[in-house]
Amino acid sequence: RKEVEQDPGPFNVPEGATVAFNCTYSNSASQSFFWYRQDCRKEPKLLMSVYSSGNEDGRFTAQLNRASQYISLLIRDSKLSDSATYLCVVNYGGFKTIFGAGTRLFVKA
Amino acid sequence: NAGVTQTPKFRVLKTGQSMTLLCAQDMNHEYMYWYRQDPGMGLRLIHYSVGEGTTAKGEVPDGYNVSRLKKQNFLLGLESAAPSQTSVYFCASSKTGTSGGADTQYFGPGTRLTVL
């Protein structure tokens, strides 16, 4: 079983739709959680950190469920520019940072 | 402020050839990392450095060597390239390490390497 698992998608949604991604992690000792965004043939960039109480950044909402060991990302009012691969990232402490393989999102006009 | 830069952007090698990938950052970050990204897999850490003159092995270090002679540069070497090393290589840097509260990692644009 992979340490960090994501549905690879692709998710195809129309503009204005709400879409949600989940990510599960296997190590209960995980300490820090993030969502990165990676555009096609580009480098990953931090989208947002994920806090235990949940956090929001504009149209993006991240949630953490430690009991069930998953994190989620909700995107509201999807834009064409949201089309990208979203990477779930989990840090277990020290330099043990695990990147998920990513979930691809296509937003259509 | 260029952030993190990588050279070259593309390279094709024959099996057994050697090469060095250069990563440079101008953000005065202490920590630097080399990852590889393969289809269907997440980024995997090859080597990392916590400061000038220091290096450490990551998850997949075999076949690679690194050096951090200057704080701003982190070099990744392939002594004898193999087809299994065909991948996209990303360098990253962060202000602090990923100990406890992990710090944001800033990535370079990547190097696409093909080994024939």
Side-chain angles (χ1 to χ4, degrees):
Chain A
R1 182 186 172 189
K2 292 181 180 178
E3 291 185 84
V4 175
E5 291 203 70
Q6 297 183 250
D7 181 343
F11 286 64
N12 293 290
V13 302
E15 271 188 297
T18 295
V19 62
F21 311 134
N22 280 341
C23 164
T24 58
Y25 59 93
S26 59
N27 192 330
S28 59
S30 302
Q31 298 183 12
S32 306
F33 308 88
F34 310 86
W35 284 101
Y36 276 70
R37 170 195 169 124
Q38 186 172 24
D39 293 309
C40 187
R41 301 179 74 84
K42 298 288 189 181
E43 72 272 22
K45 293 182 179 179
L46 178 68
L47 179 66
M48 58 196 303
S49 301
V50 186
Y51 302 117
S52 297
S53 56
N55 48 299
E56 192 174 299
D57 183 1
R59 297 181 293 108
F60 299 84
T61 300
Q63 297 279 354
L64 168 63
N65 186 318
R66 285 190 182 271
S68 300
Q69 295 184 199
Y70 76 84
I71 67 173
S72 64
L73 177 68
L74 181 78
I75 305 175
R76 292 181 299 278
D77 188 23
S78 298
K79 311 291 185 190
L80 293 175
S81 57
D82 293 334
S83 296
T85 297
Y86 291 83
L87 309 179
C88 171
V89 182
V90 176
N91 175 256
Y92 296 151
F95 288 88
K96 185 85 170 158
T97 296
I98 307 297
F99 285 77
T103 297
R104 297 182 71 187
L105 170 66
F106 292 104
V107 181
K108 307 168 294 183
Chain B
N1 191 334
V4 180
T5 58
Q6 292 182 233
T7 52
K9 288 186 170 52
F10 304 92
R11 186 72 185 269
V12 178
L13 291 178
K14 294 180 179 178
T15 297
Q17 287 185 316
S18 63
M19 77 163 295
T20 299
L21 283 66
L22 172 64
C23 174
Q25 53 95 3
D26 61 4
M27 296 176 283
N28 201 35
H29 285 170
E30 289 293 333
Y31 295 78
M32 297 187 74
Y33 317 81
W34 274 107
Y35 293 91
R36 60 177 290 172
Q37 186 175 38
D38 301 295
M41 303 184 72
L43 289 154
R44 290 182 292 169
L45 184 63
I46 304 171
H47 286 280
Y48 64 96
S49 167
V50 303
E52 183 177 315
T54 72
T55 63
K57 294 180 181 179
E59 180 188 356
V60 289
D62 294 342
Y64 306 95
N65 56 75
V66 288
S67 64
R68 182 106 180 262
L69 299 179
K70 293 183 179 181
K71 184 177 182 178
Q72 64 268 34
N73 296 337
F74 195 28
L75 278 63
L76 177 72
L78 285 73
E79 290 186 346
S80 180
S84 61
Q85 293 179 304
T86 293
S87 187
V88 180
Y89 291 86
F90 287 102
C91 175
S93 71
S94 64
K95 191 184 303 183
T96 60
T98 53
S99 176
D103 205 1
T104 301
Q105 293 189 28
Y106 296 85
F107 286 83
T111 295
R112 296 183 178 275
L113 175 66
T114 301
V115 183
L116 302 174

